[in-house]
Amino acid sequence: LKPKEEWSTADSRDGLVSAMAKKLEQIPGVAYNFTQPMAMRMDEVVTGIKGDVAVKIFGENPAILQDLSDRALRILQQTRGVADAQTEVISGVAELHVEMDRAMLARYGLNVTDVQEFVEAATGGLRVSELIQGQRRFPIAIRLPQAYRQDLTALGNLQLRAPGGEWVRLNQVAHLTTIRCPEMISRERAQRRVVVQCNVRGRDLGSFVQEAQNRRPTQLKSPVGN
């Protein structure tokens, strides 16, 4: 930062943070946190989280974790003095789901691994060689064009060769669907967990935590085992 006497956006640290937050909140999807190097290092050492306040929720079911984290976020947002409230995003990523039809596989003499390797090569690519330039090495891989990889119908119409010589479409031996899956799975002490965090401005940390805890029994009831 410039010397404080040269500031034009604000005349205090809190004013500068507010001005920066106002600009950043206009950008969709961005998560930001205002802190200082020493404070951030201390927070990381104590809790592993960069915010002033962190709520850690443990459980095995991603859907329940997402629901509880959303409720915890609302509690923090309703508490006076909250700033930079955010939660880890753990869901919403599209994933290709391939369910094998074992009866049809047996009919054509194919194995599950045959289909798995076929789909892996078609979507993720298959390494076929290596390019050497001096001391540098670059893998050479082949894969289908993006239009095929993103179209379930086109992907299902791809053919693989059965041991008997027949050409079998992928959708004859497997069901292809797109499902929503967790984007990220965080673990701590061998358990799945999601973190909700925030900073506190304009009041002391202790009273903020106490007020949030007073809201928890009525607004955040976790099921048995979570």
Side-chain angles (χ1 to χ4, degrees):
L1 298 176
K2 294 181 179 180
K4 194 170 182 179
E5 58 270 13
E6 298 180 20
W7 288 12
S8 58
T9 303
D11 56 8
S12 66
R13 178 180 179 275
D14 290 340
L16 183 60
V17 168
S18 298
M20 295 173 69
K22 189 175 181 180
K23 291 289 186 180
L24 288 172
E25 67 185 9
Q26 299 175 11
I27 306 174
V30 67
Y32 51 86
N33 181 42
F34 295 98
T35 184
Q36 294 177 289
M38 183 59 70
M40 181 183 70
R41 297 305 178 198
M42 287 299 298
D43 290 335
E44 285 183 318
V45 169
V46 175
T47 65
I49 309 299
K50 298 178 181 179
D52 294 340
V53 176
V55 180
K56 294 183 179 181
I57 305 174
F58 296 87
E60 291 302 319
N61 190 317
I64 296 178
L65 286 176
Q66 183 71 65
D67 178 61
L68 294 177
S69 67
D70 291 341
R71 296 186 190 182
L73 180 62
R74 286 195 294 269
I75 291 176
L76 294 180
Q77 290 173 332
Q78 295 168 3
T79 306
R80 183 177 59 83
V82 65
D84 313 326
Q86 57 188 270
T87 181
E88 291 180 336
V89 179
I90 61 174
S91 64
V93 176
E95 183 177 279
L96 175 64
H97 181 69
V98 182
E99 183 179 355
M100 307 295 178
D101 187 332
R102 295 183 179 272
M104 293 299 292
L105 286 174
R107 177 177 178 180
Y108 290 106
L110 291 167
N111 296 319
V112 171
T113 54
D114 297 328
V115 178
Q116 290 177 331
E117 292 173 356
F118 182 80
V119 173
E120 181 182 2
T123 57
L126 179 66
R127 182 170 176 172
V128 295
S129 185
E130 189 175 55
L131 175 65
I132 301 176
Q133 290 184 349
Q135 296 184 355
R136 295 180 297 176
R137 296 173 179 266
F138 303 92
I140 300 175
I142 57 174
R143 66 175 178 177
L144 287 174
Q146 187 174 3
Y148 283 89
R149 288 183 279 118
Q150 294 186 345
D151 187 338
L152 290 184
T153 302
L155 189 62
N157 286 330
L158 294 177
Q159 296 181 337
L160 62 161
R161 196 178 186 89
E166 307 97 326
W167 287 98
V168 182
R169 294 195 314 276
L170 179 59
N171 57 21
Q172 289 181 263
V173 293
H175 303 289
L176 308 179
T177 55
T178 301
I179 60 176
R180 311 301 291 185
C181 293
E183 177 182 355
M184 175 181 65
I185 297 177
S186 300
R187 289 185 177 273
E188 184 175 329
R189 298 178 182 177
Q191 298 182 75
R192 285 186 179 181
R193 67 113 171 100
V194 61
V195 171
V196 184
Q197 67 177 29
C198 72
N199 290 325
V200 179
R201 299 195 191 105
R203 67 182 299 185
D204 65 282
L205 190 61
S207 64
F208 177 91
V209 172
Q210 185 61 54
E211 182 179 340
Q213 288 179 334
N214 292 338
R215 297 176 185 269
R216 187 189 63 81
T218 57
Q219 300 185 33
L220 182 61
K221 295 181 179 180
S222 59
V224 177
N226 288 271

Coordinates of all heavy atoms in Angstrom, one line a residue, residues 2 9 19 53 58 73 120 155 166 171-172 177 200 205 217:
K2 N 0.3 2.3 -0.5 CA 1.0 3.6 -0.5 C 1.0 4.1 1.0 O 0.2 3.7 1.8 CB 0.3 4.6 -1.4 CG 0.4 4.3 -2.9 CD -0.3 5.4 -3.7 CE -0.2 5.1 -5.2 NZ -0.9 6.1 -6.0
T9 N -8.7 6.4 -1.7 CA -10.0 5.6 -1.7 C -10.6 5.7 -0.3 O -11.9 5.7 -0.2 CB -9.6 4.2 -2.0 OG1 -9.0 4.1 -3.3 CG2 -10.9 3.3 -2.1
A19 N -14.2 -0.7 0.8 CA -14.2 -0.3 -0.6 C -13.7 -1.5 -1.5 O -14.3 -1.7 -2.6 CB -13.2 0.9 -0.8
V53 N -13.2 -16.8 12.4 CA -14.1 -17.8 13.0 C -14.3 -18.9 12.0 O -14.5 -18.7 10.8 CB -15.4 -17.2 13.3 CG1 -16.4 -18.2 13.8 CG2 -15.3 -16.1 14.3
F58 N -18.4 -32.3 10.5 CA -17.9 -33.6 10.1 C -19.1 -34.6 9.8 O -20.1 -34.5 10.4 CB -17.1 -34.2 11.2 CG -15.8 -33.5 11.4 CD1 -15.8 -32.4 12.3 CD2 -14.6 -33.8 10.8 CE1 -14.7 -31.7 12.6 CE2 -13.4 -33.1 11.1 CZ -13.5 -32.0 12.0
L73 N -23.7 -21.2 7.5 CA -23.4 -19.9 6.8 C -24.5 -18.9 7.1 O -24.1 -17.7 7.3 CB -23.2 -20.2 5.3 CG -22.9 -18.9 4.5 CD1 -21.5 -18.4 4.9 CD2 -22.9 -19.3 3.0
E120 N -11.9 -44.7 -20.9 CA -10.8 -43.9 -20.4 C -10.0 -43.3 -21.6 O -9.6 -42.1 -21.6 CB -9.9 -44.7 -19.5 CG -8.7 -44.0 -19.0 CD -7.7 -44.8 -18.2 OE1 -8.0 -46.0 -18.1 OE2 -6.7 -44.3 -17.7
L155 N -20.9 -40.4 -27.8 CA -20.0 -41.3 -27.1 C -20.6 -42.7 -27.0 O -19.9 -43.7 -27.2 CB -19.9 -40.8 -25.6 CG -18.8 -41.5 -24.8 CD1 -17.4 -41.3 -25.4 CD2 -18.8 -40.9 -23.4
E166 N -17.1 -59.2 -33.6 CA -18.2 -58.3 -33.8 C -17.8 -56.9 -33.4 O -17.1 -56.7 -32.4 CB -19.4 -58.7 -33.1 CG -19.8 -60.2 -33.4 CD -19.3 -61.1 -32.3 OE1 -18.2 -60.8 -31.8 OE2 -20.0 -62.1 -32.0
N171 N -23.1 -48.1 -26.1 CA -24.4 -48.1 -25.4 C -25.1 -49.4 -25.4 O -26.2 -49.5 -24.8 CB -25.3 -47.0 -26.0 CG -25.5 -47.1 -27.5 OD1 -25.3 -48.2 -28.1 ND2 -25.9 -46.0 -28.1
Q172 N -24.6 -50.4 -26.1 CA -25.2 -51.7 -26.0 C -24.7 -52.5 -24.8 O -25.4 -53.4 -24.4 CB -24.8 -52.5 -27.3 CG -25.5 -52.1 -28.6 CD -25.1 -52.9 -29.8 OE1 -24.2 -52.6 -30.5 NE2 -25.7 -54.1 -29.9
T177 N -24.8 -42.0 -18.3 CA -25.5 -40.9 -17.8 C -24.6 -39.8 -17.2 O -23.4 -40.1 -16.9 CB -26.5 -41.3 -16.7 OG1 -25.8 -42.0 -15.6 CG2 -27.6 -42.3 -17.2
V200 N -14.4 -11.1 11.5 CA -15.3 -10.3 12.4 C -14.7 -8.9 12.4 O -13.5 -8.6 12.6 CB -15.3 -10.8 13.8 CG1 -16.1 -9.9 14.8 CG2 -15.8 -12.3 13.9
L205 N -14.3 -10.6 19.1 CA -14.4 -11.9 18.6 C -15.3 -12.8 19.6 O -16.1 -13.6 19.1 CB -13.1 -12.5 18.4 CG -13.0 -13.9 17.6 CD1 -13.6 -13.7 16.2 CD2 -11.6 -14.4 17.5
P217 N -28.6 -23.8 18.4 CA -29.5 -24.8 18.8 C -30.8 -24.8 18.1 O -31.5 -25.8 17.9 CB -29.7 -24.6 20.3 CG -28.5 -23.9 20.8 CD -28.1 -23.0 19.6

